[in-house]
Amino acid sequence: MSFLKITSAHKAYRTPEGGLIRALDDVSLNVRNNEFLTLLGPSGCGKTTLLKCIAGFEDIDAGEITLEEQSLKGVPAHRRPFNTVFQNYALFPHLSISDNVGYGLDVAGVRKRERNQRVDEALELVGLGGFGAREPKQLSGGQQQRVALARSLVLKPRVLLLDEPLSALDRKMRETMQIELKNLQHSVGITFVFVTHDQEEALAMSDRIAVVAHGKVQQLAAPAEIYDEPANEFVANFVGTSNIFSGKVVAQDGRLLTIETANQRQLLAASHRFTTGDRVDLVLRPEHMRLSPGSNGVPDSCIEGTVEASVFVGSEMHLHVNVGKGRTAIVHHRHNRGDENERIEPGTELKLYYSPNAVHLIAAAGG
Ligand code: ATP
């Protein structure tokens, strides 16, 4: 039986200027029970709209949303077994932490003893056991966000909807909360639908990611698959950095394809999905290019270029390399501490090597 299923959902908004915005354009998505699913996409792509439609704060214009095969059409938000955690978590400032967390239970008329027990459990769960008597202003931003989580979890929803809940936190706190949230989801066994525009956050936490753009799901897959095998150019560029070379397969030797591109006469790629004559986009991640050839396995392919800029980012150098015809390739190069020979100045000519196995090929749009 399917769990939370969205089928061909459409939602358009009329703008005051008389235009029409297709916030959801034929979205279908199957959310599994107990999974951590992330909706990832740029600002304005429709993530929040989808979350609101699942929550019941907005209605879809066409399509269907079902929970365990029961339609949610006409079911008001407060009757859906879902709860939402917003970016702006707005705790009641003059209520204690316990009363903030217990608020929903009070409204539901849960008896005092059970209420107190559930509040204590929820606070323990988010690592705030013993903080119940404090007021929100006596907690840090990260702790307040955890109170907001406890406030939702205490109601035992089937699905927790989270709309950019970590975006107000600083980087360190965010990273800590990412791990905690993932662990929490695992331990409570509640389905999480998490919205973010931050690809690192999505890769770090999710069981599966739905990449959304222009109101459409571009790809739905596990993080490693999204990164290693992006379905199209949008996903390849939005999740991580990609070097994309367009070309045509001109020769084939088993899995080894020779691709003729505009910039570099011929590049190699390993794939069994394409054959001679196919038009392809060759996707190469910056960390898969090296300044010296590999010593074993399939022979490396090589790209020649001139360094335009080298950017020190601490753990590695990011080299911007002009590879001809106005194209710049980005290379992530690990350097050895204190090694003067490792300095790569703009103007340096070099060869970039990569294994054909590191390449991901996408059918060229219209190809
Ligand atoms: P962000 O990350 O910036 O929150 P998002 O991906 O969540 O973006 P949505 O809030 O879902 O995007 O908005 C999708 C599109 O619909 C945007 O173009 C937005 O301007 C538009 N939109 C959203 N709500 C309304 C509304 N009530 N009236 C008109 N247009 C709206």
Side-chain angles (χ1 to χ4, degrees):
M1 181 162 65
S2 66
F3 185 63
L4 176 62
K5 192 172 177 189
I6 296 114
T7 312
S8 302
H10 290 261
K11 175 81 187 172
Y13 291 111
R14 286 227 167 270
T15 63
E17 307 83 48
L20 196 69
I21 295 173
R22 291 186 198 287
L24 300 181
D25 187 5
D26 198 14
V27 169
S28 294
L29 194 64
N30 219 335
V31 185
R32 297 175 186 152
N33 197 5
N34 293 346
E35 83 170 326
F36 194 125
L37 183 127
T38 297
L39 305 175
L40 171 69
S43 183
C45 72
K47 312 177 293 288
T48 300
T49 302
L50 182 55
L51 210 67
K52 283 182 183 163
C53 292
I54 295 172
F57 301 133
E58 297 267 8
D59 290 323
I60 47 177
D61 301 331
E64 194 177 40
I65 302 178
T66 56
L67 181 69
E68 291 175 337
E69 280 157 33
Q70 300 291 309
S71 172
L72 293 175
K73 192 174 166 65
V75 179
H78 67 277
R79 293 215 176 280
R80 299 186 184 195
F82 306 154
N83 218 303
T84 309
V85 179
F86 297 101
Q87 175 185 342
N88 170 7
Y89 36 84
L91 303 177
F92 296 118
H94 300 301
L95 292 186
S96 69
I97 297 306
S98 286
D99 288 345
N100 264 284
V101 175
Y103 185 79
L105 297 175
D106 295 336
V107 171
V110 175
R111 292 230 302 278
K112 200 158 184 63
R113 210 163 133 208
E114 185 191 337
R115 178 253 196 219
N116 289 343
Q117 192 186 342
R118 279 171 66 177
V119 167
D120 288 347
E121 279 169 12
L123 284 174
E124 277 301 327
L125 206 57
V126 298
L128 289 178
F131 283 70
R134 292 204 195 180
E135 285 187 3
K137 66 171 182 289
Q138 295 171 310
L139 298 184
S140 71
Q143 289 169 330
Q144 291 186 32
Q145 186 54 276
R146 283 187 231 172
V147 176
L149 266 174
R151 181 175 61 180
S152 289
L153 289 169
V154 81
L155 299 167
K156 299 192 175 149
R158 304 283 311 274
V159 180
L160 194 61
L161 305 165
L162 302 111
D163 195 357
E164 309 231 15
L166 307 184
S167 56
L169 306 177
D170 67 45
R171 192 187 163 98
K172 276 262 177 270
M173 177 57 77
R174 246 180 121 124
E175 284 175 2
T176 309
M177 284 294 290
Q178 285 171 7
I179 297 166
E180 286 187 10
L181 252 187
K182 178 70 200 145
N183 290 341
L184 187 69
Q185 188 270 335
H186 198 73
S187 62
V188 295
I190 293 174
T191 302
F192 278 27
V193 181
F194 184 93
V195 162
T196 184
H197 59 264
D198 182 329
Q199 38 126 351
E200 282 179 23
E201 195 162 278
L203 292 171
M205 292 199 289
S206 320
D207 293 319
R208 289 191 305 160
I209 300 171
V211 181
V212 183
H214 313 300
K216 287 181 183 294
V217 175
Q218 306 288 321
Q219 185 172 8
L220 171 63
E225 189 178 335
I226 295 271
Y227 190 81
D228 291 336
E229 296 168 42
N232 56 37
E233 198 173 332
F234 178 85
V235 178
N237 280 319
F238 192 72
V239 182
T241 304
S242 290
N243 297 298
I244 302 183
F245 299 97
S246 300
K248 185 174 170 183
V249 181
V250 291
Q252 183 173 18
D253 177 8
R255 287 179 72 233
L256 199 62
L257 308 177
T258 305
I259 296 158
E260 194 151 278
T261 69
N263 320 58
Q264 299 277 335
R265 241 180 69 74
Q266 292 189 331
L267 298 178
L268 298 179
S271 169
H272 50 253
R273 289 177 44 232
F274 295 94
T275 185
T276 306
D278 288 345
R279 295 213 143 269
V280 291
D281 287 335
L282 186 151
V283 182
L284 249 179
R285 295 295 190 181
E287 66 274 25
H288 289 147
M289 285 196 269
R290 286 170 273 105
L291 304 191
S292 50
S295 51
N296 51 15
V298 190
D300 275 341
S301 189
C302 177
I303 302 174
E304 293 179 9
T306 309
V307 176
E308 286 175 334
S310 70
V311 184
F312 177 65
V313 294
S315 58
E316 53 194 14
M317 301 291 292
H318 290 182
L319 304 176
H320 296 235
V321 182
N322 183 337
V323 293
K325 299 247 167 85
R327 282 296 311 271
T328 301
I330 312 280
V331 183
H332 294 177
H333 172 61
R334 286 205 158 270
H335 61 107
N336 296 319
R337 186 172 171 183
D339 187 346
E340 278 298 305
N341 295 330
E342 286 285 318
R343 289 174 68 118
I344 299 166
E345 306 292 348
T348 307
E349 288 184 10
L350 38 76
K351 288 182 174 168
L352 306 171
Y353 297 90
Y354 69 87
S355 163
N357 286 322
V359 168
H360 174 62
L361 292 183
I362 303 173

